[in-house]
């Protein structure tokens, strides 16, 4: 067994502790909202701080995660794929096997318990690919709460299946036609709803972005991914992995995997952004790789913006990565060089989609396919006794239509 | 004393209320903005609020969102906004100008650079919607050094502790957001709003403007009775939108806005 298996607390270096009490990750994060939202966000922060370690809350959350979500998700050794790539051993954290088919539900089961304890009767959320919308509509159906989901008009068209799932679950799906008609505009519209209905409404943000306390709260709920993965790899291999790989849109699945490993300095961390048609074309969704810092949606982070500070349209084959910002903690991890942020193009992600489907019999989400594409490059460069854990953040059922269309197949 | 403070003081001495109309710079084109500003002054505006277009105006309702979209079709930038104010100043050196907008276009320009340019353009104050005092310390210092007023919002959800914190940092006046919601929405409960404004008046010496939802002379009059100023945004911008829909030229659009503001001015002047 290597030294890597020591707990972070036994190391001499300072333990990573972010954000500060006002939600800052270095210069990033914070609380950049209109005045009407300041007090509601403070109330949310206080409620979250109170409940997150409160025994009955923790017990109910743990129970829901195991009995409703189906956790722990397996850490699957992808033997065929490993053999094919002829490099590091690849383990897949199977978030695709969660109830509703992605990691998003880890966060919604947590936030809905908080909403209930705060006495909120109405739930709103934004969604891009529809996975967070479905995960939110699901927990609302279970608890009998009114649910309104904001979704860009363009995303509604490319993710029709998820739209129907949300409606089956009893949610109202509102088509957002302002701005670029995608995830960022859905978030704007959800914020406008929240500020208008602040008294009875709880806003479940789906990614580790937005104003404080959302980036920290979403990270904490998603960290179950990394905590389990750490225990599982220690049980299965007797040591920590050498590398973690996850795709990044807003970055919630990635921070969920990365966070419990941040103090384990031997573990390399790779976040994979969507290079779309190529960073050089400008048609991408890779703010960490090709953007610069700015302020949007309540926090300071890396953004896709023009020289006048206007947010520019993004492109990715995957709706879930089609976002011009990124969670502020990723911005910080980039600046302190704790994580490496890379990007892969649409066509590479599509190759990854087909590869995993064929060699392992697992159809991945197009978002996760970006991580797959990067592992295909990384693993062959590593030694055979090294270990990669990749977050398979969601299943690909929702993307079948998109992939078929690209492959020239009509149903 | 700043130009904004002087305006409020002289109005107060005459027992009058300030009328503060808002338009988005460059909506629907750069040509209309400066003449429209002059026209609003003629109609009785005491201070002008000029919006900086932004791609993601999170606190605005559909009317002002579309104004930003129209202005951004031809890439109205912050430099354009400064140039428009400089043009306005060629003929009007008295009416205070407040820029209103979101942080990111200012952030990318750099706080000091922005403040220097605003000062050079003879702008009087700045209101940044998504820049609360907890985050804007460095910016506020730069503003104070150039004697520019920093306007902040207060809302129905603002606690007494925050009212105090905000009024300590604010100068010129404070802007009370009459409703929980975005610009241009909802029915106003005037009695409630008047109570809140009276409460805030007990906590600060600063004049208080009220806005978000003032649509006509009647609402201007009702809210003006409690406050020191009324701020009119979506109602003006709505006239630009309907003017475009009805193929009106700039002159006709300006006339409609002149008529609306004149009616508000008359109503405000009848208050005692």
């Amino acid at each position: 067994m290597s030294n890597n298996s020591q707990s972070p607390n036994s190391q001499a270096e300072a333990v990573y502790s972010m954000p500060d009490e006002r939600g800052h990750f270095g210069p990033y994060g914070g609380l950049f909202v209109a005045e009407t939202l300041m007090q509601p966000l403070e109330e949310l922060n206080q409620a979250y701080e109170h409940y997150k370690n409160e025994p009955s809350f923790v017990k109910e959350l743990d129970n829901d995660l195991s009995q409703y979500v189906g956790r722990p998700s397996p850490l699957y050794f992808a033997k065929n794929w490993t053999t094919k790539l002829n490099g590091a051993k690849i383990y897949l954290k199977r978030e695709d096997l969660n109830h509703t088919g992605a990691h998003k539900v880890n966060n919604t089961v947590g936030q809905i318990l908080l909403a209930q304890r705060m006495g909120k009767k109405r739930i709103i959320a934004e969604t891009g690919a529809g996975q967070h919308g479905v995960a939110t509509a699901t927990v609302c159906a279970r608890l009998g709460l009114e649910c309104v989901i904001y979704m860009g008009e363009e995303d509604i068209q490319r993710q029709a299946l998820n739209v129907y799932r949300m409606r089956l679950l009893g949610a109202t799906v509102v088509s957002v036609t302002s701005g670029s008609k995608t995830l960022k505009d859905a978030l704007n519209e959800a914020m406008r709803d929240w500020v208008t209905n602040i008294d009875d409404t709880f806003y479940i943000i789906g990614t580790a972005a937005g104003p404080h306390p959302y980036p920290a709260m979403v990270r904490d709920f998603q960290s179950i991914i990394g905590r389990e993965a750490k225990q599982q790899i220690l049980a299965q291999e007797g040591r920590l992995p050498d590398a973690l790989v996850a795709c990044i849109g807003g970055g919630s699945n990635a921070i969920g995997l990365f966070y419990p490993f941040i103090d384990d300095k031997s573990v390399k961390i790779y976040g994979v952004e969507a290079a779309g048609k190529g960073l050089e074309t400008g048609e991408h969704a890779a703010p960490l790789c090709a953007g610069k810092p700015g302020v949007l949606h309540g926090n300071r982070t890396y953004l896709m913006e023009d020289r006048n500070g206007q947010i520019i349209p993004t492109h990715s084959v995957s709706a879930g990565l089609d976002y011009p910002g990124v969670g502020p903690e990723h911005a910080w991890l980039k600046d302190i060089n704790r994580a490496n942020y890379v990007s892969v193009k649409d066509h590479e992600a599509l190759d990854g989609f087909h590869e995993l489907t064929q060699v392992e019999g697992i159809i991945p989400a197009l978002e996760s396919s970006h991580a797959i594409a990067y592992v295909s490059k990384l693993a062959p460069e590593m030694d055979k006794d090294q270990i990669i854990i990749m977050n398979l953040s969601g299943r690909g059922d929702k993307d079948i239509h998109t992939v078929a269309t690209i492959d020239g197949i009509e149903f | 004393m700043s130009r904004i403070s002087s305006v409020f003081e002289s109005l107060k001495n005459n027992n009058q209320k300030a009328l503060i109309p808002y338009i988005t710079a460059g909506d629907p084109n750069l040509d209309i903005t400066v003449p429209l500003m002059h026209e609003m002054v003629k109609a009785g505006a005491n201070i002008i609020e000029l919006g900086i277009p932004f791609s993601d105006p999170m606190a605005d309702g559909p009317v002002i969102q579309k104004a930003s979209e129209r202005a951004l079709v031809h890439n109205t930038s912050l430099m354009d906004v400064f140039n428009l104010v400089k043009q306005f100043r060629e003929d009007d050196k008295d009416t205070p100008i407040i820029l209103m907008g979101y942080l990111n276009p200012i952030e990318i320009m750099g706080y000091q650079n922005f403040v220097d340019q605003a000062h050079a353009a003879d702008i009087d104050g700045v209101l940044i919607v998504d820049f609360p005092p907890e985050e804007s310390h460095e910016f506020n210092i730069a503003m104070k050094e150039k004697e520019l007023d920093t306007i902040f919002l207060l809302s129905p959800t603002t606690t007494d502790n925050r009212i105090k914190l905000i009024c300590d940092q604010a100068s010129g006046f404070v802007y009370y957001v009459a409703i929980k919601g975005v610009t241009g929405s909802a029915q106003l409960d005037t009695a409630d709003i008047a109570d809140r404004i009276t409460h805030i008046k007990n906590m600060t010496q600063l004049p208080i403007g009220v806005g978000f939802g003032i649509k006509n002379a009647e609402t201007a009059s009702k809210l003006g009775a409690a406050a020191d100023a009324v701020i009119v945004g979506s109602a003006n911008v709505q006239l630009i939108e309907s003017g475009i829909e009805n193929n009106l030229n700039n002159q006709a659009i300006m006339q409609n806005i002149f008529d609306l503001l004149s009616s508000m001015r008359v109503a405000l002047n009848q208050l005692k």
Side-chain angles (χ1 to χ4, degrees):
Chain A
M1 206 200 262
S2 83
N3 292 333
N4 294 347
S5 62
Q6 289 181 352
S7 77
N9 293 336
S10 68
Q11 294 174 355
E13 295 150 85
V15 174
Y16 178 87
S17 172
M18 285 282 180
D20 70 13
E21 76 282 359
R22 299 212 62 83
H24 297 106
F25 301 85
Y28 303 109
L31 202 45
F32 296 88
V33 294
E35 177 56 29
T36 312
L37 289 176
M38 290 298 288
Q39 183 58 21
L41 283 163
E42 180 53 32
E43 282 167 21
L44 173 63
N45 189 37
Q46 283 174 9
Y48 177 58
E49 288 300 319
H50 173 75
Y51 286 113
K52 72 178 182 186
N53 297 314
E54 197 245 342
S56 77
F57 182 88
V58 173
K59 192 179 168 194
E60 193 174 349
L61 178 59
D62 286 349
N63 188 63
D64 284 352
L65 287 171
S66 70
Q67 300 302 311
Y68 191 63
V69 175
R71 303 203 70 90
S73 67
L75 185 69
Y76 167 72
F77 173 47
K79 194 178 167 195
N80 299 338
W81 196 29
T82 298
T83 303
K84 188 177 175 201
L85 294 177
N86 197 29
K89 295 176 81 169
I90 304 163
Y91 282 84
L92 302 177
K93 183 60 175 162
R94 296 292 307 276
E95 294 300 301
D96 61 316
L97 294 179
N98 291 338
H99 179 43
T100 72
H103 71 288
K104 291 292 187 188
V105 71
N106 300 328
N107 172 47
T108 62
V109 294
Q111 287 199 43
I112 200 90
L113 292 182
L114 197 55
Q116 238 184 352
R117 278 163 174 74
M118 292 176 75
K120 305 291 183 182
K121 305 287 182 220
R122 181 173 174 273
I123 304 296
I124 59 170
E126 85 295 340
T127 198
Q131 290 303 107
H132 175 58
V134 168
T136 302
T138 297
V139 295
C140 288
R142 179 169 174 240
L143 295 180
L145 295 172
E146 183 189 351
C147 179
V148 178
I149 305 291
Y150 289 91
M151 190 167 184
E153 188 179 45
E154 193 179 309
D155 292 333
I156 284 184
Q157 281 164 14
R158 55 181 171 175
Q159 300 290 344
L161 183 65
N162 271 343
V163 174
Y164 186 56
R165 286 170 81 192
M166 287 183 263
R167 288 183 174 143
L168 284 175
L169 289 159
T172 304
V173 181
V174 178
S175 174
V176 176
T177 57
S178 57
S180 64
K181 306 178 176 65
T182 60
L183 178 55
K184 83 170 174 75
D185 309 285
L187 214 151
N188 290 336
E189 210 53 44
M191 281 282 181
R192 291 177 187 126
D193 177 315
W194 197 34
V195 82
T196 307
N197 300 292
I198 206 90
D199 295 332
D200 69 342
T201 298
F202 189 101
Y203 180 14
I204 300 187
I205 293 186
T207 194
H212 181 62
Y214 284 102
M217 179 168 68
V218 174
R219 172 198 71 195
D220 292 349
F221 287 133
Q222 291 294 358
S223 293
I224 185 80
I225 300 170
R227 290 199 305 273
E228 283 178 8
K230 199 174 207 177
Q231 281 182 2
Q232 288 166 320
I233 200 70
L234 290 174
Q236 288 167 239
E237 287 281 352
R239 70 180 190 88
L240 289 176
D242 298 283
L244 305 175
V245 180
C247 66
I248 299 207
S252 70
N253 91 82
I255 202 69
L257 176 64
F258 299 168
Y259 183 61
F261 291 92
I262 288 176
D263 282 323
D264 299 310
K265 298 287 163 54
S266 68
V267 180
K268 288 203 167 86
I269 296 176
Y270 298 92
V272 187
E273 292 193 304
K277 294 178 182 172
L279 296 184
E280 70 288 354
T281 66
E283 292 187 56
H284 59 83
L288 288 166
C289 292
K292 48 188 180 261
V295 173
L296 179 71
H297 293 154
N299 67 109
R300 183 178 285 118
T301 187
Y302 281 80
L303 299 175
M304 306 255 308
E305 57 187 323
D306 69 14
R307 63 196 173 84
N308 293 325
Q310 307 296 344
I311 307 307
I312 55 177
T314 51
H315 166 82
S316 170
V317 69
S318 117
L321 301 185
D322 217 344
Y323 180 64
V326 63
E329 193 158 18
H330 289 296
W332 176 240
L333 293 175
K334 172 188 163 79
D335 281 15
I336 63 169
N337 293 311
R338 178 61 189 99
N340 308 292
Y341 294 94
V342 297
S343 65
V344 308
K345 296 179 188 174
D346 285 349
H347 72 86
E348 296 172 305
L350 286 161
D351 291 347
F353 174 93
H354 287 295
E355 174 152 305
L356 197 74
T357 303
Q358 284 159 14
V359 301
E360 293 290 350
I362 297 171
I363 300 180
L366 281 175
E367 290 78 16
S368 320
S369 299
H370 287 72
I372 295 166
Y374 191 71
V375 168
S376 300
K377 299 180 190 180
L378 182 66
E381 293 172 359
M382 292 170 65
D383 293 337
K384 288 187 180 176
D385 61 352
Q386 290 189 298
I387 298 167
I388 296 172
I389 295 178
M390 191 205 96
N391 200 13
L392 186 57
S393 55
R395 68 182 184 219
D397 307 43
K398 71 183 172 57
D399 296 313
I400 298 296
H401 194 263
T402 303
V403 174
T405 305
I406 290 167
D407 289 345
I409 294 159
E410 280 183 42
F411 295 115
Chain B
M1 187 188 283
S2 79
R3 200 154 32 192
I4 293 173
S5 301
S6 310
V7 164
F8 276 107
E9 192 171 270
S10 96
L11 286 168
K12 195 178 177 186
N13 291 340
N14 293 313
N15 208 11
Q16 279 196 329
K17 309 290 183 178
L19 176 61
I20 310 181
Y22 165 99
I23 52 168
T24 301
D27 169 32
N29 48 61
L30 288 171
D31 293 340
I32 195 175
T33 303
V34 173
L36 180 52
M37 289 164 77
H38 289 306
E39 203 66 18
M40 295 195 300
V41 174
K42 275 185 217 154
N46 306 100
I47 297 173
I48 289 174
E49 216 175 83
L50 194 56
I52 305 164
F54 183 51
S55 55
D56 293 79
M58 240 165 54
D60 284 300
V63 172
I64 294 181
Q65 286 174 46
K66 283 183 202 152
S68 254
E69 286 180 20
R70 286 191 296 268
L72 289 174
V73 166
H74 48 90
N75 298 313
T76 306
S77 68
L78 204 36
M79 288 313 292
D80 291 329
V81 178
F82 290 136
N83 287 331
L84 291 171
V85 176
K86 284 178 188 165
Q87 279 178 48
F88 175 79
R89 283 280 177 249
E90 290 170 10
D91 299 306
D92 186 332
K93 303 206 186 302
D94 301 324
T95 309
I97 305 288
I98 297 163
L99 298 190
M100 181 171 183
Y102 294 81
L103 180 56
N104 202 48
I106 293 165
E107 175 107 352
I108 204 161
M109 178 174 267
Y111 299 159
Q112 191 60 54
N113 188 12
F114 170 83
V115 169
D116 291 345
Q117 303 261 11
H119 180 71
D122 206 7
I123 282 159
D124 299 90
V126 178
L127 194 177
I128 307 174
V129 176
D130 54 349
F131 207 18
E134 290 89 338
E135 297 284 358
S136 57
H137 189 66
E138 183 195 335
F139 177 79
N140 297 342
I141 289 172
M143 290 283 286
K144 281 196 173 69
E145 278 172 3
K146 293 286 184 191
E147 297 179 342
L148 295 173
D149 284 323
T150 312
I151 321 295
F152 285 99
L153 300 173
L154 297 174
S155 88
T157 60
T158 308
T159 58
D160 284 358
N161 281 341
R162 282 191 62 77
I163 292 174
K164 198 171 169 309
L165 170 87
I166 291 166
C167 290
D168 279 351
Q169 302 237 6
S171 61
F173 69 101
V174 288
Y175 183 149
Y176 181 65
V177 174
I179 46 157
K180 294 174 190 169
V182 293
T183 50
S185 56
Q187 292 297 313
L188 300 171
D189 181 341
T190 45
D192 246 24
I193 295 164
D195 285 351
R196 274 292 281 180
I197 292 172
T198 306
H199 179 72
I200 295 164
K201 276 192 168 170
N202 289 331
M203 300 181 71
T204 182
Q205 301 294 315
L206 288 168
I208 298 168
V210 60
F212 278 45
I214 294 174
K215 291 182 167 61
N216 48 36
E218 188 193 349
T219 42
S221 169
K222 278 184 177 161
L223 295 189
D228 302 299
V230 294
I231 299 142
V232 184
S234 297
N236 296 327
V237 176
Q238 179 66 55
L239 291 173
I240 294 178
E241 184 179 325
S242 62
I244 294 166
E245 281 166 4
N246 296 314
N247 291 317
L248 300 186
N249 60 21
N250 283 355
Q251 200 57 46
I253 291 173
M254 287 196 289
Q255 182 65 47
N256 287 340
I257 292 175
F258 178 91
D259 291 345
L260 173 72
L261 295 177
S262 299
S263 73
M264 290 182 174
R265 179 77 267 169
V266 169
L268 288 175
N269 287 348
Q270 285 164 355
L271 292 171
K272 285 297 164 209

